[in-house]
Amino acid sequence: MKIALLGAGRIGRIHARAISDHPLAQLACVSDAFPEAANSLAAEYGVPVMTAEDIFASAEIDGVLIASSTPTHCDFLERAARAGKAVLCEKPIDLDLARTRHCLGVLAEHPVTCALGFNRRHDPQFSALKQALEAGRIGELEMITITSRDPEPPPAEYVAASGGLFRDMSIHDLDMAAWLLGEPVTEVTVSGSCLVDPAIGEAGDLDSALINLKSASGKLVSISNSRRACYGYDQRIEVFGSQGMLEARNETDTRLRFTGVEGVVEERPQWFFLERYAQAYVREVGDFVTAWQEGRAPLAGAQDGLAALELAEAALISYREGRRVLLSEIR
C-alpha cells in the first residue's frame, strides 16, 4: 500500500516511521505547508516531496495519512474520498460539529476506507481489556473509571488554538468510554477548574475536569483529566462489573518493581504519549493497511470521530452552563 503523508510535524514523524516499518506499506511521499519540514522528513526516508494537489491526482498513491493541522483535516478528507483514496486522519476531524457532519456526508457519497486516529484503541493493554470485557470476564459491565493526566500543561498559546481541553485532550477518553460501553451515551455532566496554570484560564480554557457519562442502559463512566501529573503520563482504566473488575495500568520503561525492608518501589510512568503509545501508533497503521486490503471497516472510523466530538461538545456546554446535558440536545 503506497501511502502519502500530509504533515511532517511531530506526529507526522511518528506515522512516517510506522508506515516505513510495515512490511506491506510504503511511504510514497511527504507534503507539508512548511517546505523545511517536508524536505527534512522526505530526505530522512528517501522519498519525494509532493504537493497535496499532485498527491490527490496521482494514480500511484493508494492512501493518505493526514497528520497536518486540525483546520486542514476536513478539506483533505473530502479530497481523498473524492479521489478514491483510503485515508487515515488524525483526530479531530474538525472542531466544529456542523463542518464534521458535512465531511461525513461527503464520505458517505464517496465511500473509501477511512480510519480515524484514536490510537488508544490499538494499545495492547486497552485492547486486551476490551477483549476480556466482550468475553464476559467481569459479567455485566456497570461502571468505567478512566484516568488521563498529562505530565505538564501545554503553552497557553497552544490552548487558544487547540479547541480546549474537551476537544483536544478529553476527546481520546470520551472515545475510549464510548468504545468500552458499546452503547450510546445519553447524558454528560462536568465539573471543571483551572488549578494548574492561570495562563490556561486566561486563554479561556480549564486544565482540570471530572466528566461523568451515563449510557442508554444506565451504565456509568467517570473520567478524570488534568493537564499536570508531576510523576509522568498517567493513563489508567478500570472496568467494574457484576463478576469482577479489570484494570489497565500505567506503563513504565522496564516494569521493574523493587521490594525491600523500606517498602515497595516502582518506576514512574513513561513521560508522555510518544513513549506510552508507541506500540499503538504502529498497530494503528497496521489496522489501516489491513482494513484497506480486506475491504473492512477499521477499528476507529469517521463516525467514531463525530460521536466523540458530540460528547466533547456536550461536556463543554455542561461545564459552561453548570448542568446535565442530554446528548439529544447535541444530535
Side-chain angles (χ1 to χ4, degrees):
M1 183 183 189
K2 295 181 179 179
I3 303 173
L5 179 63
L6 296 169
R10 180 175 63 176
I11 195 63
R13 288 185 166 274
I14 296 296
H15 288 307
R17 172 56 59 192
I19 294 169
S20 65
D21 285 348
H22 195 288
L24 299 177
Q26 176 186 338
L27 182 62
C29 63
V30 175
S31 181
D32 195 280
F34 297 95
E36 299 83 0
N39 290 331
S40 173
L41 186 58
E44 185 176 339
Y45 288 93
V47 299
V49 172
M50 292 177 63
T51 65
E53 290 73 18
D54 289 341
I55 287 171
F56 292 120
S58 173
E60 300 298 317
I61 292 172
D62 301 305
V64 296
L65 197 157
I66 302 171
S68 50
S69 61
T70 297
T72 67
H73 289 183
C74 274
D75 178 56
F76 285 154
L77 266 170
E78 292 171 2
R79 292 168 71 182
R82 291 189 174 108
K85 300 188 185 302
V87 57
L88 167 55
C89 181
E90 269 298 328
K91 66 81 193 169
I93 294 174
D94 196 80
L95 298 177
D96 180 71
L97 272 174
R99 183 70 181 91
T100 300
R101 288 174 178 139
H102 178 271
C103 186
L104 263 66
V106 173
L107 289 168
E109 293 173 4
H110 304 275
V112 294
T113 299
C114 181
L116 203 67
F118 285 130
N119 63 296
R120 297 182 191 184
R121 293 191 182 200
H122 302 274
D123 175 72
Q125 266 207 81
F126 296 168
S127 178
L129 184 147
K130 171 71 170 177
Q131 291 173 17
L133 180 62
E134 290 186 335
R137 187 79 181 274
I138 63 167
E140 183 67 23
L141 174 65
E142 295 170 354
M143 293 190 289
I144 300 173
T145 302
I146 298 175
T147 300
S148 180
R149 299 168 183 149
D150 287 345
E152 55 190 9
E157 55 268 23
Y158 169 84
V159 168
S162 70
L165 181 79
F166 301 119
R167 297 190 188 101
D168 174 54
M169 178 183 177
S170 309
I171 196 167
H172 276 293
D173 308 303
L174 294 166
D175 173 69
M176 185 57 55
W179 185 51
L180 294 174
L181 281 169
E183 63 182 50
V185 172
T186 56
E187 57 186 74
V188 178
T189 308
V190 171
S191 178
S193 295
C194 195
L195 303 172
V196 176
D197 185 356
I200 291 178
E202 292 167 6
D205 198 20
L206 68 165
D207 55 35
S208 308
L210 296 175
I211 306 170
N212 292 309
L213 313 177
K214 189 173 183 179
S215 76
S217 69
K219 295 177 175 62
L220 303 175
V221 181
S222 175
I223 299 172
S224 174
N225 284 150
S226 174
R227 287 291 195 180
R228 182 205 58 218
C230 64
Y231 46 84
Y233 194 41
D234 194 356
Q235 299 286 290
R236 292 171 283 137
I237 297 178
E238 173 190 296
V239 292
F240 176 80
S242 59
Q243 296 179 23
M245 176 179 70
L246 290 163
E247 293 179 278
R249 307 183 70 184
N250 280 318
E251 294 284 357
T252 66
D253 287 338
T254 67
R255 297 189 181 180
L256 188 66
R257 181 178 182 179
F258 169 78
T259 302
V261 294
E262 295 181 356
V264 179
V265 179
E266 293 187 69
E267 296 176 311
R268 291 186 299 179
Q270 291 174 321
W271 183 247
F272 207 24
F273 74 93
L274 296 176
E275 299 87 3
R276 172 63 182 82
Y277 291 118
Q279 290 186 66
Y281 284 113
V282 172
R283 290 163 60 124
E284 179 180 60
V285 167
D287 177 68
F288 174 53
V289 173
T290 304
W292 174 75
Q293 291 175 327
E294 298 178 353
R296 64 163 173 83
L299 186 58
Q303 194 63 47
D304 298 306
L306 173 61
L309 188 62
E310 288 174 339
L311 290 173
E313 188 74 14
L316 181 60
I317 294 171
S318 177
Y319 166 66
R320 286 178 173 171
E321 299 183 5
R323 66 179 179 89
R324 179 186 66 166
V325 175
L326 302 180
L327 263 294
S328 56
E329 301 176 45
I330 307 298
R331 294 171 177 153

